[in-house]
Amino acid sequence: MTFLGQKPSTLVLWVVLSIPAIPLIGPLFGDDAQAFHRLLHPTGEWAARFMIIGMMASGLMLLFKGRQWPRWLVHHRRDIEVAAFVYAALHTVIYVIDRGTWDRIVEALPHTDIWTGWLAMLIFVPLAVTSNSAAQRWLHAGWKTLQRWAYPAAVLVLIHWAALHNWGSWPPAAVHFGPLVALWAYRLWYWYLRPRAPIAAA
C-alpha cells in the first residue's frame, strides 16, 4: 500500500526527518528577532547531522555485512540527503534575512566560517537538483562523478562548523564528524590497504 506514490517506510522516515523542524515553526514566523537569529544553530546542525548520516550509509553497509539495517539506510540515503539540503537551505535563508542587507552579507564573506558555508551550499544545490532517478538516467556515469562532490562539500561543512566563534565550535564539529571520518578511513583501508591472500597459480 502506498500514499502519494511513496512506500509507508518512506513516509514514516519523512515524518521522523521533519520532527526537528517542529520547534522552529514559532520563531520562524514570529516577530522576535533574537529567537529568529537563534534558528541558525539548530538548522545548521540538523543539516550537518542528516548529511553525515546519509554519507555514512555505504561505509556502514561495508562494516556490517549481511545486516539489513545498513541496507535500509542505503536504500533511503537519498531521502536523508534531500532532508539535509532542505535544512541547509533553511539555514541559508535565515542567515540572509538575519544579516538584513546585501552589504552586510558581502562584508562577512572573507571570514572562514562564512565563505566555507556559502561554497558548501553552492555544491549542494546541483547535488540536490540531480538527486532523482530521472537525473541519474540522464547523466549516466556522470551522475556518480557529480555526486562525489559531496565529499569536498562535507569537508567545507566541517570547517564551517569548526570555525564558528573563532574556532570555538571545533569540539562539537569533531564529535559529529568523527564517525564519518572513521568510516572513510575504514573504506580506504578495506579497498586499498588491507592485506589480501595471494592468488594461487593455476
Side-chain angles (χ1 to χ4, degrees):
M1 182 178 179
T2 60
F3 177 69
L4 296 179
Q6 298 295 328
K7 295 181 179 179
S9 60
T10 302
L11 294 173
V12 171
L13 174 61
W14 272 104
V15 170
V16 172
L17 294 172
S18 301
I19 290 174
I22 295 175
L24 311 179
I25 296 173
L28 189 63
F29 296 101
D31 54 3
D32 187 337
Q34 288 298 320
F36 185 83
H37 172 78
R38 287 193 292 270
L39 293 178
L40 284 168
H41 181 72
T43 52
E45 280 199 354
W46 282 110
R49 286 167 183 160
F50 289 141
M51 179 197 71
I52 291 167
I53 293 171
M55 296 188 73
M56 288 176 64
S58 296
L60 289 171
M61 192 167 71
L62 184 64
L63 184 62
F64 297 98
K65 288 183 177 179
R67 302 291 181 87
Q68 289 300 316
W69 65 269
R71 292 180 180 276
W72 182 91
L73 191 60
V74 169
H75 179 71
H76 291 285
R77 175 171 53 192
R78 188 177 298 178
D79 297 291
I80 297 169
E81 291 174 346
V82 169
F85 174 77
V86 171
Y87 281 96
L90 181 59
H91 178 70
T92 304
V93 170
I94 291 170
Y95 173 78
V96 169
I97 295 173
D98 185 63
R99 292 299 289 179
T101 67
W102 175 253
D103 289 342
R104 292 190 67 210
I105 293 172
V106 173
E107 180 185 17
L109 281 177
H111 298 285
T112 303
D113 59 326
I114 301 302
W115 68 260
T116 49
W118 278 112
L119 187 54
M121 191 63 193
L122 287 175
I123 295 173
F124 285 142
V125 169
L127 296 182
V129 169
T130 58
S131 186
N132 56 77
S133 299
Q136 189 172 0
R137 290 191 298 269
W138 181 59
L139 293 171
H140 300 291
W143 185 84
K144 281 191 175 182
T145 302
L146 177 62
Q147 293 298 314
R148 289 192 184 103
W149 278 91
Y151 294 100
V155 174
L156 287 167
V157 171
L158 172 58
I159 298 171
H160 169 68
W161 193 346
L164 289 171
H165 313 299
N166 294 319
W167 295 92
S169 294
W170 71 264
V175 168
H176 279 79
F177 277 86
L180 178 60
V181 173
L183 278 175
W184 283 353
Y186 175 73
R187 292 176 68 184
L188 178 66
W189 171 83
Y190 184 90
W191 292 115
Y192 301 107
L193 302 175
R194 69 185 172 102
R196 299 175 186 272
I199 300 174

PDB file of all heavy atoms in Angstrom, residues 148-172:
ATOM      1  N   ARG A 148      30.034  12.719  -6.198  1.00  0.00           N
ATOM      2  CA  ARG A 148      31.262  12.657  -5.385  1.00  0.00           C
ATOM      3  C   ARG A 148      31.666  14.021  -4.853  1.00  0.00           C
ATOM      4  O   ARG A 148      32.503  14.118  -3.954  1.00  0.00           O
ATOM      5  CB  ARG A 148      32.409  12.048  -6.205  1.00  0.00           C
ATOM      6  CG  ARG A 148      32.244  10.556  -6.452  1.00  0.00           C
ATOM      7  CD  ARG A 148      33.512   9.935  -6.996  1.00  0.00           C
ATOM      8  NE  ARG A 148      33.312   8.532  -7.310  1.00  0.00           N
ATOM      9  CZ  ARG A 148      33.142   8.047  -8.526  1.00  0.00           C
ATOM     10  NH1 ARG A 148      33.156   8.879  -9.569  1.00  0.00           N
ATOM     11  NH2 ARG A 148      32.969   6.760  -8.732  1.00  0.00           N
ATOM     12  N   TRP A 149      31.078  15.086  -5.407  1.00  0.00           N
ATOM     13  CA  TRP A 149      31.346  16.418  -4.871  1.00  0.00           C
ATOM     14  C   TRP A 149      30.798  16.575  -3.460  1.00  0.00           C
ATOM     15  O   TRP A 149      31.107  17.556  -2.767  1.00  0.00           O
ATOM     16  CB  TRP A 149      30.744  17.485  -5.798  1.00  0.00           C
ATOM     17  CG  TRP A 149      31.634  17.790  -6.953  1.00  0.00           C
ATOM     18  CD1 TRP A 149      31.630  17.202  -8.179  1.00  0.00           C
ATOM     19  CD2 TRP A 149      32.697  18.749  -6.974  1.00  0.00           C
ATOM     20  NE1 TRP A 149      32.614  17.733  -8.973  1.00  0.00           N
ATOM     21  CE2 TRP A 149      33.289  18.697  -8.261  1.00  0.00           C
ATOM     22  CE3 TRP A 149      33.206  19.656  -6.042  1.00  0.00           C
ATOM     23  CZ2 TRP A 149      34.355  19.499  -8.616  1.00  0.00           C
ATOM     24  CZ3 TRP A 149      34.273  20.467  -6.399  1.00  0.00           C
ATOM     25  CH2 TRP A 149      34.828  20.375  -7.668  1.00  0.00           C
ATOM     26  N   ALA A 150      30.012  15.605  -3.011  1.00  0.00           N
ATOM     27  CA  ALA A 150      29.522  15.636  -1.627  1.00  0.00           C
ATOM     28  C   ALA A 150      30.675  15.548  -0.638  1.00  0.00           C
ATOM     29  O   ALA A 150      30.585  16.092   0.473  1.00  0.00           O
ATOM     30  CB  ALA A 150      28.545  14.487  -1.396  1.00  0.00           C
ATOM     31  N   TYR A 151      31.784  14.902  -1.035  1.00  0.00           N
ATOM     32  CA  TYR A 151      32.923  14.753  -0.114  1.00  0.00           C
ATOM     33  C   TYR A 151      33.612  16.086   0.172  1.00  0.00           C
ATOM     34  O   TYR A 151      33.787  16.445   1.341  1.00  0.00           O
ATOM     35  CB  TYR A 151      33.908  13.718  -0.663  1.00  0.00           C
ATOM     36  CG  TYR A 151      33.331  12.324  -0.705  1.00  0.00           C
ATOM     37  CD1 TYR A 151      32.844  11.786  -1.899  1.00  0.00           C
ATOM     38  CD2 TYR A 151      33.250  11.547   0.446  1.00  0.00           C
ATOM     39  CE1 TYR A 151      32.301  10.507  -1.935  1.00  0.00           C
ATOM     40  CE2 TYR A 151      32.715  10.267   0.419  1.00  0.00           C
ATOM     41  CZ  TYR A 151      32.236   9.752  -0.779  1.00  0.00           C
ATOM     42  OH  TYR A 151      31.699   8.493  -0.815  1.00  0.00           O
ATOM     43  N   PRO A 152      34.015  16.859  -0.849  1.00  0.00           N
ATOM     44  CA  PRO A 152      34.575  18.181  -0.523  1.00  0.00           C
ATOM     45  C   PRO A 152      33.561  19.092   0.153  1.00  0.00           C
ATOM     46  O   PRO A 152      33.933  19.918   0.991  1.00  0.00           O
ATOM     47  CB  PRO A 152      35.022  18.738  -1.879  1.00  0.00           C
ATOM     48  CG  PRO A 152      34.328  17.926  -2.912  1.00  0.00           C
ATOM     49  CD  PRO A 152      34.126  16.574  -2.291  1.00  0.00           C
ATOM     50  N   ALA A 153      32.269  18.939  -0.177  1.00  0.00           N
ATOM     51  CA  ALA A 153      31.248  19.742   0.481  1.00  0.00           C
ATOM     52  C   ALA A 153      31.202  19.416   1.971  1.00  0.00           C
ATOM     53  O   ALA A 153      31.055  20.311   2.812  1.00  0.00           O
ATOM     54  CB  ALA A 153      29.882  19.495  -0.151  1.00  0.00           C
ATOM     55  N   ALA A 154      31.332  18.136   2.309  1.00  0.00           N
ATOM     56  CA  ALA A 154      31.337  17.732   3.716  1.00  0.00           C
ATOM     57  C   ALA A 154      32.532  18.321   4.458  1.00  0.00           C
ATOM     58  O   ALA A 154      32.417  18.748   5.611  1.00  0.00           O
ATOM     59  CB  ALA A 154      31.350  16.209   3.823  1.00  0.00           C
ATOM     60  N   VAL A 155      33.683  18.347   3.796  1.00  0.00           N
ATOM     61  CA  VAL A 155      34.873  18.951   4.409  1.00  0.00           C
ATOM     62  C   VAL A 155      34.641  20.437   4.660  1.00  0.00           C
ATOM     63  O   VAL A 155      35.002  20.980   5.716  1.00  0.00           O
ATOM     64  CB  VAL A 155      36.111  18.739   3.514  1.00  0.00           C
ATOM     65  CG1 VAL A 155      37.324  19.500   4.065  1.00  0.00           C
ATOM     66  CG2 VAL A 155      36.437  17.253   3.404  1.00  0.00           C
ATOM     67  N   LEU A 156      34.012  21.110   3.705  1.00  0.00           N
ATOM     68  CA  LEU A 156      33.699  22.533   3.871  1.00  0.00           C
ATOM     69  C   LEU A 156      32.732  22.755   5.031  1.00  0.00           C
ATOM     70  O   LEU A 156      32.874  23.715   5.802  1.00  0.00           O
ATOM     71  CB  LEU A 156      33.100  23.087   2.580  1.00  0.00           C
ATOM     72  CG  LEU A 156      34.082  23.288   1.419  1.00  0.00           C
ATOM     73  CD1 LEU A 156      33.322  23.532   0.120  1.00  0.00           C
ATOM     74  CD2 LEU A 156      35.028  24.443   1.700  1.00  0.00           C
ATOM     75  N   VAL A 157      31.744  21.865   5.161  1.00  0.00           N
ATOM     76  CA  VAL A 157      30.800  21.979   6.275  1.00  0.00           C
ATOM     77  C   VAL A 157      31.521  21.800   7.604  1.00  0.00           C
ATOM     78  O   VAL A 157      31.251  22.517   8.583  1.00  0.00           O
ATOM     79  CB  VAL A 157      29.663  20.946   6.135  1.00  0.00           C
ATOM     80  CG1 VAL A 157      28.794  20.915   7.395  1.00  0.00           C
ATOM     81  CG2 VAL A 157      28.802  21.265   4.921  1.00  0.00           C
ATOM     82  N   LEU A 158      32.443  20.844   7.658  1.00  0.00           N
ATOM     83  CA  LEU A 158      33.231  20.632   8.872  1.00  0.00           C
ATOM     84  C   LEU A 158      34.008  21.891   9.249  1.00  0.00           C
ATOM     85  O   LEU A 158      33.995  22.325  10.415  1.00  0.00           O
ATOM     86  CB  LEU A 158      34.189  19.459   8.671  1.00  0.00           C
ATOM     87  CG  LEU A 158      35.224  19.225   9.777  1.00  0.00           C
ATOM     88  CD1 LEU A 158      34.548  18.988  11.124  1.00  0.00           C
ATOM     89  CD2 LEU A 158      36.136  18.060   9.418  1.00  0.00           C
ATOM     90  N   ILE A 159      34.681  22.497   8.266  1.00  0.00           N
ATOM     91  CA  ILE A 159      35.439  23.722   8.533  1.00  0.00           C
ATOM     92  C   ILE A 159      34.504  24.857   8.926  1.00  0.00           C
ATOM     93  O   ILE A 159      34.793  25.623   9.856  1.00  0.00           O
ATOM     94  CB  ILE A 159      36.277  24.108   7.294  1.00  0.00           C
ATOM     95  CG1 ILE A 159      37.298  23.009   6.967  1.00  0.00           C
ATOM     96  CG2 ILE A 159      37.001  25.441   7.526  1.00  0.00           C
ATOM     97  CD1 ILE A 159      38.005  23.209   5.645  1.00  0.00           C
ATOM     98  N   HIS A 160      33.373  24.961   8.218  1.00  0.00           N
ATOM     99  CA  HIS A 160      32.370  25.994   8.513  1.00  0.00           C
ATOM    100  C   HIS A 160      31.913  25.906   9.969  1.00  0.00           C
ATOM    101  O   HIS A 160      31.851  26.918  10.683  1.00  0.00           O
ATOM    102  CB  HIS A 160      31.189  25.807   7.564  1.00  0.00           C
ATOM    103  CG  HIS A 160      29.980  26.612   7.897  1.00  0.00           C
ATOM    104  ND1 HIS A 160      29.942  27.987   7.790  1.00  0.00           N
ATOM    105  CD2 HIS A 160      28.740  26.234   8.336  1.00  0.00           C
ATOM    106  CE1 HIS A 160      28.749  28.425   8.141  1.00  0.00           C
ATOM    107  NE2 HIS A 160      28.001  27.387   8.477  1.00  0.00           N
ATOM    108  N   TRP A 161      31.614  24.700  10.412  1.00  0.00           N
ATOM    109  CA  TRP A 161      31.145  24.493  11.776  1.00  0.00           C
ATOM    110  C   TRP A 161      32.261  24.762  12.788  1.00  0.00           C
ATOM    111  O   TRP A 161      32.071  25.469  13.784  1.00  0.00           O
ATOM    112  CB  TRP A 161      30.630  23.064  11.918  1.00  0.00           C
ATOM    113  CG  TRP A 161      29.845  22.790  13.164  1.00  0.00           C
ATOM    114  CD1 TRP A 161      29.760  23.576  14.280  1.00  0.00           C
ATOM    115  CD2 TRP A 161      29.028  21.644  13.411  1.00  0.00           C
ATOM    116  NE1 TRP A 161      28.955  22.983  15.214  1.00  0.00           N
ATOM    117  CE2 TRP A 161      28.483  21.802  14.699  1.00  0.00           C
ATOM    118  CE3 TRP A 161      28.706  20.514  12.676  1.00  0.00           C
ATOM    119  CZ2 TRP A 161      27.638  20.840  15.272  1.00  0.00           C
ATOM    120  CZ3 TRP A 161      27.861  19.574  13.237  1.00  0.00           C
ATOM    121  CH2 TRP A 161      27.327  19.738  14.517  1.00  0.00           C
ATOM    122  N   ALA A 162      33.447  24.194  12.526  1.00  0.00           N
ATOM    123  CA  ALA A 162      34.555  24.327  13.478  1.00  0.00           C
ATOM    124  C   ALA A 162      35.017  25.771  13.629  1.00  0.00           C
ATOM    125  O   ALA A 162      35.452  26.190  14.704  1.00  0.00           O
ATOM    126  CB  ALA A 162      35.718  23.444  13.040  1.00  0.00           C
ATOM    127  N   ALA A 163      34.935  26.555  12.544  1.00  0.00           N
ATOM    128  CA  ALA A 163      35.447  27.925  12.563  1.00  0.00           C
ATOM    129  C   ALA A 163      34.517  28.918  13.245  1.00  0.00           C
ATOM    130  O   ALA A 163      34.921  30.054  13.508  1.00  0.00           O
ATOM    131  CB  ALA A 163      35.730  28.393  11.131  1.00  0.00           C
ATOM    132  N   LEU A 164      33.298  28.504  13.534  1.00  0.00           N
ATOM    133  CA  LEU A 164      32.364  29.410  14.203  1.00  0.00           C
ATOM    134  C   LEU A 164      32.890  29.820  15.572  1.00  0.00           C
ATOM    135  O   LEU A 164      33.543  29.032  16.262  1.00  0.00           O
ATOM    136  CB  LEU A 164      30.998  28.735  14.357  1.00  0.00           C
ATOM    137  CG  LEU A 164      30.187  28.537  13.070  1.00  0.00           C
ATOM    138  CD1 LEU A 164      28.976  27.656  13.355  1.00  0.00           C
ATOM    139  CD2 LEU A 164      29.751  29.870  12.484  1.00  0.00           C
ATOM    140  N   HIS A 165      32.621  31.056  15.951  1.00  0.00           N
ATOM    141  CA  HIS A 165      33.028  31.583  17.262  1.00  0.00           C
ATOM    142  C   HIS A 165      34.543  31.482  17.451  1.00  0.00           C
ATOM    143  O   HIS A 165      35.030  31.000  18.472  1.00  0.00           O
ATOM    144  CB  HIS A 165      32.300  30.842  18.395  1.00  0.00           C
ATOM    145  CG  HIS A 165      30.830  30.688  18.175  1.00  0.00           C
ATOM    146  ND1 HIS A 165      29.980  31.779  18.050  1.00  0.00           N
ATOM    147  CD2 HIS A 165      30.042  29.586  18.040  1.00  0.00           C
ATOM    148  CE1 HIS A 165      28.743  31.341  17.866  1.00  0.00           C
ATOM    149  NE2 HIS A 165      28.751  30.017  17.845  1.00  0.00           N
ATOM    150  N   ASN A 166      35.290  31.933  16.421  1.00  0.00           N
ATOM    151  CA  ASN A 166      36.750  31.915  16.477  1.00  0.00           C
ATOM    152  C   ASN A 166      37.295  30.511  16.757  1.00  0.00           C
ATOM    153  O   ASN A 166      38.158  30.324  17.618  1.00  0.00           O
ATOM    154  CB  ASN A 166      37.253  32.906  17.529  1.00  0.00           C
ATOM    155  CG  ASN A 166      36.949  34.343  17.153  1.00  0.00           C
ATOM    156  OD1 ASN A 166      37.081  34.728  15.992  1.00  0.00           O
ATOM    157  ND2 ASN A 166      36.515  35.138  18.121  1.00  0.00           N
ATOM    158  N   TRP A 167      36.798  29.557  16.027  1.00  0.00           N
ATOM    159  CA  TRP A 167      37.188  28.147  16.118  1.00  0.00           C
ATOM    160  C   TRP A 167      36.780  27.525  17.449  1.00  0.00           C
ATOM    161  O   TRP A 167      37.263  26.464  17.833  1.00  0.00           O
ATOM    162  CB  TRP A 167      38.689  27.960  15.883  1.00  0.00           C
ATOM    163  CG  TRP A 167      39.088  28.341  14.500  1.00  0.00           C
ATOM    164  CD1 TRP A 167      39.529  29.557  14.091  1.00  0.00           C
ATOM    165  CD2 TRP A 167      39.037  27.527  13.334  1.00  0.00           C
ATOM    166  NE1 TRP A 167      39.760  29.561  12.738  1.00  0.00           N
ATOM    167  CE2 TRP A 167      39.480  28.321  12.238  1.00  0.00           C
ATOM    168  CE3 TRP A 167      38.665  26.203  13.092  1.00  0.00           C
ATOM    169  CZ2 TRP A 167      39.544  27.835  10.951  1.00  0.00           C
ATOM    170  CZ3 TRP A 167      38.743  25.720  11.796  1.00  0.00           C
ATOM    171  CH2 TRP A 167      39.177  26.536  10.753  1.00  0.00           C
ATOM    172  N   GLY A 168      35.856  28.179  18.144  1.00  0.00           N
ATOM    173  CA  GLY A 168      35.384  27.632  19.410  1.00  0.00           C
ATOM    174  C   GLY A 168      34.395  26.496  19.264  1.00  0.00           C
ATOM    175  O   GLY A 168      34.032  25.869  20.254  1.00  0.00           O
ATOM    176  N   SER A 169      33.948  26.233  18.033  1.00  0.00           N
ATOM    177  CA  SER A 169      32.955  25.173  17.816  1.00  0.00           C
ATOM    178  C   SER A 169      33.587  23.880  17.306  1.00  0.00           C
ATOM    179  O   SER A 169      32.865  22.982  16.871  1.00  0.00           O
ATOM    180  CB  SER A 169      31.892  25.643  16.818  1.00  0.00           C
ATOM    181  OG  SER A 169      31.134  26.707  17.351  1.00  0.00           O
ATOM    182  N   TRP A 170      34.908  23.776  17.368  1.00  0.00           N
ATOM    183  CA  TRP A 170      35.533  22.569  16.814  1.00  0.00           C
ATOM    184  C   TRP A 170      35.228  21.306  17.613  1.00  0.00           C
ATOM    185  O   TRP A 170      35.116  20.221  17.016  1.00  0.00           O
ATOM    186  CB  TRP A 170      37.040  22.749  16.650  1.00  0.00           C
ATOM    187  CG  TRP A 170      37.835  22.781  17.931  1.00  0.00           C
ATOM    188  CD1 TRP A 170      38.234  23.876  18.618  1.00  0.00           C
ATOM    189  CD2 TRP A 170      38.319  21.654  18.661  1.00  0.00           C
ATOM    190  NE1 TRP A 170      38.927  23.527  19.747  1.00  0.00           N
ATOM    191  CE2 TRP A 170      39.003  22.156  19.795  1.00  0.00           C
ATOM    192  CE3 TRP A 170      38.256  20.275  18.476  1.00  0.00           C
ATOM    193  CZ2 TRP A 170      39.604  21.334  20.741  1.00  0.00           C
ATOM    194  CZ3 TRP A 170      38.849  19.447  19.422  1.00  0.00           C
ATOM    195  CH2 TRP A 170      39.524  19.975  20.539  1.00  0.00           C
ATOM    196  N   PRO A 171      35.053  21.342  18.973  1.00  0.00           N
ATOM    197  CA  PRO A 171      34.750  20.079  19.665  1.00  0.00           C
ATOM    198  C   PRO A 171      33.436  19.432  19.211  1.00  0.00           C
ATOM    199  O   PRO A 171      33.438  18.237  18.861  1.00  0.00           O
ATOM    200  CB  PRO A 171      34.719  20.482  21.149  1.00  0.00           C
ATOM    201  CG  PRO A 171      35.580  21.696  21.229  1.00  0.00           C
ATOM    202  CD  PRO A 171      35.307  22.428  19.946  1.00  0.00           C
ATOM    203  N   PRO A 172      32.291  20.169  19.163  1.00  0.00           N
ATOM    204  CA  PRO A 172      31.073  19.509  18.669  1.00  0.00           C
ATOM    205  C   PRO A 172      31.179  19.104  17.202  1.00  0.00           C
ATOM    206  O   PRO A 172      30.625  18.075  16.797  1.00  0.00           O
ATOM    207  CB  PRO A 172      29.972  20.560  18.887  1.00  0.00           C
ATOM    208  CG  PRO A 172      30.682  21.860  19.071  1.00  0.00           C
ATOM    209  CD  PRO A 172      31.997  21.529  19.664  1.00  0.00           C
TER     210      PRO A 172
END
